[in-house]
Amino acid sequence: MIAIAGVIGAGLFVGSGAAIQQAGPGILVAYAAAGIVVILVMRMLGEMAAANPETGSFSTYADKALGRWAGFSIGWLYAWFWIIVLGVEATAGAAIMHRWVPGVDQWVWALILMVLLTLTNVASVKSYGEFEFWFASIKVAAIILFLLLGVVAILGFMPGVAAPGLHNLTGNGGFFPNGPGAVLAGILVVVFSFFGAEIATIAAGESEDPVDAVKKAVKSTVWRILIFYIGSIGIVVTLLPWNDASVAKSPYVAVIELFGIPGAGTIMDIVVLTSVLSCLNSGLYTASRMLFSLSTRGDAPKSWRKISKRGVPASAVLASTVVGFITVGLNYLAPDSVFLFLVNTSGAIALFVWLVIAISQLILRRRMGAAAKDLALKMWLFPYLTWLSIITISVLLVGMVIVADTREALLLSTGLAAVVVAIGVYRYRKGGSAHDGAAPAAAGEPTAELVEDAQSRA
């Protein structure tokens, strides 16, 4: 359920409207293309995670494949991404709660939501999993019901709703009303909606059977994307004209209103609030686990590696929460300057993470040689699809430079990444390598992995 919830966020229910307005029905091609990239990335990550389940996931694999500087850099960038998400999602959830209970200030609701989910994460790993299970269940149930009603309406069996046929797909300027270029730009918008699927490989490190958990999560990625994203967006653009104002505002609300279901706005508010709480819950969990992993490798304060009696890295959770509270505060004090700047610094981190995953898998798989035949989960058509993924992600990064709406986010994200990488390279300038210990080796001292490599070569 954590794997399923990882790709169903508020961006699907609300943000998809802007993507549809940009590319028309052709946005289905954009979702399919972005979905293929995610499927390939998850397969590569799944191969590494099944072979070596780690709480640090791709950060530890980057350690092993590229060097300590790489694991340090991508780990901190990933933690930063989710810490920023805490501020964004807490504000979004507070806005919904404020609409329902206007007597309570919005910042109070943001504080309440942050405190609630912090307590959940500090309490125990089980409580995080329990909350996430129910959040995921609500989201999945809502989308399945939406899909069923949509199919009924498209077939003409919905009372009061005429079967649309292909009119809305081809009758308002064609399937690509704004040209293929708009679809390419749409890929850059929708690709970030899929970020979060990798949380399952991080959570697997704390599951009873990590290898089996990873295999199930990765293998389910294909049908999750096909059904939940492409299926639900397909229903929206089939039932409603892509250029309808209601689609731009909230496509799912527009379709529910078409069905004649009363309280469509309230229903969607509940679903979006659930998605926000799920993202807050997972964001805090993921950021804290990455900080914990960095700490165990000597790349973060030692106190963050401490485990409570309940099996939780409470210090890492609280560290993530403190910065999360600061970002929430900045959203109210300086929303159009400082907060927007911080959000933009995380804008391209998803693509950076995927690129590092692909490069790490390419290197680690080649190092395995003949031993790769014993892998529990394998990347398809290696190394061809791995190279295709690397090239595609690189093209998307170039696309972010070309498209004006994403250029600033890429430049700021690249600037932040450059600073973090510089720190990592300086920190490990004397040849530090990946290892499985709690602290880095002393300068000039060979690590366990270097010794193993030397022995294997001998």
Side-chain angles (χ1 to χ4, degrees), residues 4-5 50-51 53 61 118 156 218 238 252 305 335 391 425 455:
I4 291 173
Y61 309 141
T118 298
V218 170
T238 302
Y252 289 80
R305 76 179 69 158
I391 294 169
V425 170
Q455 291 174 342

Side-chain angles (χ1 to χ4, degrees), residues 249-279:
K249 183 178 180 182
S250 182
Y252 289 80
V253 170
V255 172
I256 294 173
E257 289 176 343
L258 178 69
F259 293 158
I261 299 174
T266 301
I267 292 171
M268 192 49 57
D269 270 350
I270 293 171
V271 175
V272 171
L273 180 61
T274 301
S275 297
V276 164
L277 293 176
S278 173
C279 197

Side-chain angles (χ1 to χ4, degrees), residues 10-274:
L12 171 63
F13 300 114
V14 181
S16 55
I20 293 171
Q21 286 285 297
Q22 183 177 36
I27 197 64
L28 288 171
V29 176
Y31 271 101
I36 290 172
V37 174
V38 177
I39 289 169
L40 294 177
V41 169
M42 282 298 292
R43 187 75 184 189
M44 289 182 283
L45 180 57
E47 177 184 291
M48 294 183 290
N52 186 22
E54 293 266 6
T55 300
S57 188
F58 49 84
S59 175
T60 58
Y61 309 141
D63 258 5
K64 294 176 172 62
L66 299 168
R68 292 300 311 280
W69 67 269
F72 170 91
S73 303
I74 204 64
W76 274 106
L77 287 172
Y78 189 71
W80 173 249
F81 174 89
W82 284 108
I83 287 170
I84 292 297
V85 165
L86 295 180
V88 175
E89 298 295 340
T91 303
I96 295 174
M97 296 301 297
H98 182 65
R99 284 203 298 270
W100 292 347
V101 188
V104 178
D105 289 341
Q106 189 168 323
W107 70 268
V108 176
W109 282 119
L111 181 64
I112 291 172
L113 294 178
M114 285 288 289
V115 170
L116 174 64
L117 291 173
T118 298
L119 293 175
T120 299
N121 275 267
V122 169
S124 69
V125 180
K126 180 180 179 180
S127 61
Y128 156 73
E130 191 71 21
F131 269 74
E132 195 57 30
F133 171 81
W134 290 108
F135 289 151
S137 298
I138 293 171
K139 289 191 288 186
V140 170
I143 288 188
I144 289 176
L145 183 59
F146 180 86
L147 290 170
L148 292 175
L149 292 176
V151 171
V152 170
I154 289 172
L155 294 176
F157 298 139
M158 176 77 68
V161 180
L166 298 177
H167 175 73
N168 291 325
L169 293 174
T170 60
N172 296 292
F175 192 73
F176 299 109
N178 298 322
V183 176
L184 293 175
I187 294 176
L188 293 174
V189 176
V190 305
V191 72
F192 298 102
S193 300
F194 294 110
F195 199 52
E198 72 290 335
I199 293 175
T201 64
I202 294 174
E206 295 184 75
S207 65
E208 291 183 4
D209 187 350
V211 175
D212 187 56
V214 166
K215 289 169 64 177
K216 287 181 178 178
V218 170
K219 289 179 178 179
S220 68
T221 301
V222 177
W223 64 262
R224 281 185 281 139
I225 289 174
L226 287 174
I227 296 176
F228 294 142
Y229 269 87
I230 299 176
S232 61
I233 295 296
I235 284 173
V236 171
V237 295
T238 302
L239 288 175
L240 295 171
W242 66 270
N243 52 0
D244 192 297
S246 63
V247 172
K249 183 178 180 182
S250 182
Y252 289 80
V253 170
V255 172
I256 294 173
E257 289 176 343
L258 178 69
F259 293 158
I261 299 174
T266 301
I267 292 171
M268 192 49 57
D269 270 350
I270 293 171
V271 175
V272 171
L273 180 61
T274 301

Side-chain angles (χ1 to χ4, degrees), residues 269-348:
D269 270 350
I270 293 171
V271 175
V272 171
L273 180 61
T274 301
S275 297
V276 164
L277 293 176
S278 173
C279 197
L280 265 175
N281 196 36
S282 290
L284 188 51
Y285 172 85
T286 307
S288 64
R289 273 17 178 220
M290 188 57 73
L291 292 181
F292 166 78
S293 177
L294 288 167
S295 179
T296 61
R297 287 176 276 154
D299 290 334
K302 292 181 180 180
S303 60
W304 294 356
R305 76 179 69 158
K306 293 181 180 178
I307 303 292
S308 70
K309 293 180 180 179
R310 295 178 176 269
V312 175
S315 297
V317 172
L318 294 176
S320 304
T321 303
V322 168
V323 182
F325 278 128
I326 293 173
T327 58
V328 170
L330 290 172
N331 195 15
Y332 291 104
L333 296 174
D336 298 324
S337 54
V338 181
F339 183 73
L340 183 60
F341 173 81
L342 293 177
V343 170
N344 280 333
T345 61
S346 66

Side-chain angles (χ1 to χ4, degrees), residues 413-425:
S413 298
T414 303
L416 175 63
V419 171
V420 176
V421 168
I423 294 172
V425 170

